[in-house]
Amino acid sequence: MARAKIALIGAGQIGGTLAHLAAMKELGDVVLFDIAEGTPQGKALDIAESSPVDGYDASLKGTNDYADIAGADVCIVTAGVPRKPGMSRDDLLGINLKVMKSVGEGIATHAPDAFVICITNPLDAMVWALQKFSGLPANKVCGMAGILDSARFRYFLAEEFAVSVKDVSAFVLGGHGDTMVPLTRYSTVAGIPLPDLVEMGWSSQEKIDAIVQRTRDGGAEIVKLLGTGSAFYAPAAAAIEMAEAYLKDQKRVLPCAAEVNGAYGLKGLYVGVPTVIGAGGIEKVVEIKLDRDEKAMLDKSIDAVKGLVAACKEIDDTLA
Ligand code: A3D
């Protein structure tokens, strides 16, 4: 059987890491596309030269020509600009919206059957716009954020409890922004929910609250430490998990930015929700029961995403 083809639109920090991970995991052949000349070619060659050492078979190609993504099974989009210290994700909207327009057209022309995973910020609005610009079916266009946000939450919790990250599962809903909703009730250590762990004396409510806040600020913490650019190792790992779920029809239950129609009282809005990812793309949006406080937090997050979508429509009237 022919290898799958993975097109990475944007060959910056995340794009390069995605290429390395996809090749090392032998998910398929990789095409790195970027408008910057030399960058995708250089990264592709550098990674290819590591393949004899690590012993994997995958071809890697760098390009500035959209025609090279033809027939891609998966496209992962990181094209655009990242945050600088002091900037919010929303400050990127105007510039990255223009980038989504050209990327959407490129994918529609050359890889209309691909499963598309957007990472460009502000995530929920950019993936919404990318779906509109590309015209691809909504179940084939989604955004990566929830896996990253919940991985941060899981990592901080594992540190707090001094247990393996493997035994911590955590849940983050809503938009990928300051209003994201880490859900403690649905977050567990080996199936034991966080509120029970607090009662059992494993931690205090104050410490859990601080971890929730650190999760919300997780992206900014990295931006501040790096000085230039934003997180890239963990975002790339998270998107690769989604690509693998699609390519291997794993039916993984993963939080991601998906178009929600009906669930959570929404119509046509992209927001972070639990989904099932398999060969059909986003095969299902899972609607979970929320208590009053959780619902209020989610509504606030949804309002923030709606505001960004409205701003996109104002900037580009073809989206209205
Ligand atoms: P960076 O290293 O700057 O790479 C972006 C690349 O996009 C650069 O190589 C640019 O040349 C390229 N580019 C710009 N315009 C175009 C275009 N029109 N077509 C093709 N390529 C283009 O950034 P990065 O890789 O660190 O981050 C990429 C994006 O991901 C940014 O918008 C970040 O804010 C975002 N991001 C999202 C998350 C989420 O969890 C959602 C996490 C971290 C970063």
Side-chain angles (χ1 to χ4, degrees), residues 9-15 33-36 39 43 66 77-83 89 92 96 98-99 102-103 118-123 144-145 148-149 152 176 229-232 235:
I9 316 296
Q13 296 281 63
I14 303 178
F33 171 91
D34 204 290
I35 49 166
T39 305
K43 290 196 178 185
Y66 265 113
V77 178
T78 59
V81 293
R83 287 196 271 175
R89 295 176 180 92
L92 305 171
N96 284 349
K98 287 201 193 85
V99 175
S102 65
V103 173
C118 180
I119 307 185
T120 303
N121 271 321
L123 192 267
M144 186 295 297
L148 172 65
D149 295 331
R152 286 178 173 149
H176 179 62
S230 52
F232 53 101

Side-chain angles (χ1 to χ4, degrees), residues 116-119 123 127 141-147 242 255-258 270 282:
V116 179
I117 303 166
C118 180
I119 307 185
L123 192 267
V127 63
V141 183
C142 63
M144 186 295 297
I147 299 177
M242 293 166 70
C256 72
Y270 270 86
I282 302 296

Side-chain angles (χ1 to χ4, degrees), residues 40-121:
Q41 292 85 351
K43 290 196 178 185
L45 183 58
D46 188 13
I47 295 167
E49 287 169 355
S50 77
S51 63
V53 182
D54 284 316
Y56 56 82
D57 290 306
S59 91
L60 288 118
K61 182 184 172 88
T63 183
N64 307 112
D65 182 356
Y66 265 113
D68 288 321
I69 74 162
D73 299 288
V74 170
C75 291
I76 308 181
V77 178
T78 59
V81 293
R83 287 196 271 175
K84 295 189 177 66
M87 277 174 99
S88 85
R89 295 176 180 92
D90 303 355
D91 295 335
L92 305 171
L93 188 126
I95 178 156
N96 284 349
L97 185 64
K98 287 201 193 85
V99 175
M100 289 306 102
K101 190 165 199 159
S102 65
V103 173
E105 286 163 7
I107 292 175
T109 307
H110 299 284
D113 297 323
F115 179 55
V116 179
I117 303 166
C118 180
I119 307 185
T120 303
N121 271 321

Side-chain angles (χ1 to χ4, degrees), residues 10-43:
Q13 296 281 63
I14 303 178
T17 313
L18 285 168
H20 197 195
L21 286 174
M24 284 187 78
K25 285 176 171 261
E26 294 189 329
L27 290 186
D29 291 335
V30 177
V31 175
L32 265 166
F33 171 91
D34 204 290
I35 49 166
E37 285 177 22
T39 305
Q41 292 85 351
K43 290 196 178 185

Side-chain angles (χ1 to χ4, degrees), residues 154-209:
R154 287 170 66 191
Y155 174 70
F156 301 147
L157 289 170
E159 268 198 320
E160 165 64 6
F161 298 134
V163 297
S164 167
V165 288
K166 290 180 196 158
D167 295 319
V168 182
S169 73
F171 221 113
V172 177
L173 272 184
H176 179 62
D178 304 335
T179 58
M180 72 176 82
V181 187
L183 290 177
T184 52
R185 232 161 39 93
Y186 286 104
S187 303
T188 71
V189 173
I192 310 166
L194 286 192
D196 292 20
L197 289 163
V198 170
E199 267 181 39
M200 287 156 62
W202 278 42
S203 184
S204 64
Q205 192 54 49
E206 291 69 37
K207 282 188 176 162
I208 298 295
D209 291 346

